[in-house]
Amino acid sequence: MNLLLNKRPILVTGSRGLLGTEFVDKLRSFLPPSQVVSPDRKELDITNQDQVSLFFQDHKPAWVINCAAYTNVDLAESERDSAFSINVNGPRILAQACKDHGTKLVHFSTDYVFNGKGNNPWRETDLPEPLEPNWYGKTKWLGEKAALENDSSLVCRIQWLYGSRQNRFSALKEKASFTPFIDQFGAPTWTRDIVDWVLAILNRGGVGLFHLAYDDYATWYEVYEFVKQKWNLPVKLAPSHLHNLKLPAQRPLNGRLSNTKMLDFLKLKTAGSWKDSLNIFLEEGS
């Protein structure tokens, strides 16, 4: 489905957030303003079935790109109902509304659905097993299953996002010391790349489950060392171990995501390195 040829609107939920903002900006760069619908939560609460149904009747979207999510990993342990409502009930309601109206759904999940064991990149065929306690990871797993109940849904697992709405790295300029994790593996992912990959998959008719990731991985310590060198900062980096912290929620140590399926589907040889994208981002923000 070519989004340029489609005349029905595209609905972006969570449009004020990190990823939603990036989608809205990108879509409005090549579509008429009326074709990109970006309500805030007061205008559209995805956990309210009646409100969602009325919104679909009024706007008749061709696509829903669901960027709404409960993302506070530790707070989810004490706000379980809120996390479940947004991360599970929300995509379930959207998936049903999409099925009823002939609308395609894009939904986002996370590497936190895995237990983080081993050193191999996680594939789409690997069985999720969120750690205990990790209510956030469990709700994201249940949410992606709810979205996939609609056969025309596209669910994308992503991780360690950064972008213009949330620059993870600028605070490093103000710190004398910082303690990034040296035992958690994944890759910082630019929201601009996520948007480009998703639109490419959509335009090729992709549905089902995809991991969106670069070709390589790193620890958070390596990422912040890269930033330190790029910006020539005096901050002292003191690596720490995630497993030594007593956080309310457990985090998977191995969050590596395999991008083989994405590359094969898009007929690409490479998705590039996280360093290349982060380098451009840091240059823009320096």
Side-chain angles (χ1 to χ4, degrees), residues 41 45-47 68-72 75-91 135-136 139-140:
R41 189 173 181 182
D45 179 357
I46 66 169
T47 69
Y70 186 107
T71 58
N72 192 316
L75 198 57
E77 296 302 318
S78 57
E79 294 186 351
R80 291 194 164 209
D81 289 346
S82 294
F84 190 92
S85 179
I86 298 170
N87 290 348
V88 184
N89 290 338
W135 186 244
Y136 165 75
T139 61
K140 293 301 291 183

Side-chain angles (χ1 to χ4, degrees), residues 164-184:
S164 58
R165 189 62 187 270
Q166 180 183 336
N167 185 338
R168 289 178 175 268
F169 312 107
S170 58
L172 209 62
K173 297 178 179 179
E174 313 300 327
K175 293 182 179 292
S177 63
F178 187 66
T179 56
F181 299 130
I182 199 170
D183 54 349
Q184 188 180 24

Side-chain angles (χ1 to χ4, degrees), residues 206-226:
V207 295
L209 181 63
F210 283 81
H211 290 174
L212 308 187
Y214 303 109
D215 298 343
D216 53 351
Y217 321 98
T219 65
W220 273 119
Y221 176 80
E222 291 171 314
V223 172
Y224 279 99
E225 179 64 30
F226 181 86

Side-chain angles (χ1 to χ4, degrees), residues 43-184:
E43 297 170 304
L44 178 61
D45 179 357
I46 66 169
T47 69
N48 186 318
Q49 188 168 353
D50 292 338
Q51 193 176 5
V52 169
S53 180
L54 288 173
F55 203 92
F56 270 66
Q57 291 175 28
D58 290 343
H59 295 276
K60 299 177 175 57
W63 284 95
V64 174
I65 301 177
N66 181 33
C67 299
Y70 186 107
T71 58
N72 192 316
V73 178
D74 288 322
L75 198 57
E77 296 302 318
S78 57
E79 294 186 351
R80 291 194 164 209
D81 289 346
S82 294
F84 190 92
S85 179
I86 298 170
N87 290 348
V88 184
N89 290 338
R92 179 178 291 126
I93 290 170
L94 288 175
Q96 184 59 55
C98 286
K99 186 179 294 186
D100 294 341
H101 290 268
T103 300
K104 309 293 185 181
L105 173 64
V106 181
H107 179 67
F108 296 93
S109 191
T110 170
D111 61 301
Y112 277 39
V113 302
F114 295 113
N115 61 26
K117 297 179 181 179
N119 299 308
N120 294 323
W122 297 101
R123 300 166 298 177
E124 290 83 353
T125 53
D126 290 327
L127 180 65
E129 185 187 4
L131 292 167
E132 291 285 352
N134 188 335
W135 186 244
Y136 165 75
K138 187 168 185 178
T139 61
K140 293 301 291 183
W141 181 28
L142 295 173
E144 66 180 40
K145 291 199 293 183
L148 289 169
E149 290 177 3
N150 183 341
D151 293 339
S152 62
S153 293
L154 169 66
V155 173
C156 302
R157 290 185 183 136
I158 55 180
Q159 65 177 180
W160 299 13
L161 295 188
Y162 66 88
S164 58
R165 189 62 187 270
Q166 180 183 336
N167 185 338
R168 289 178 175 268
F169 312 107
S170 58
L172 209 62
K173 297 178 179 179
E174 313 300 327
K175 293 182 179 292
S177 63
F178 187 66
T179 56
F181 299 130
I182 199 170
D183 54 349
Q184 188 180 24

Side-chain angles (χ1 to χ4, degrees), residues 159 186-188 213-218 256-257 259 272-276:
Q159 65 177 180
Y214 303 109
D215 298 343
D216 53 351
Y217 321 98
R256 301 170 178 91
L257 294 175
N259 65 6
S273 168
W274 64 265
K275 294 180 181 179
D276 297 333

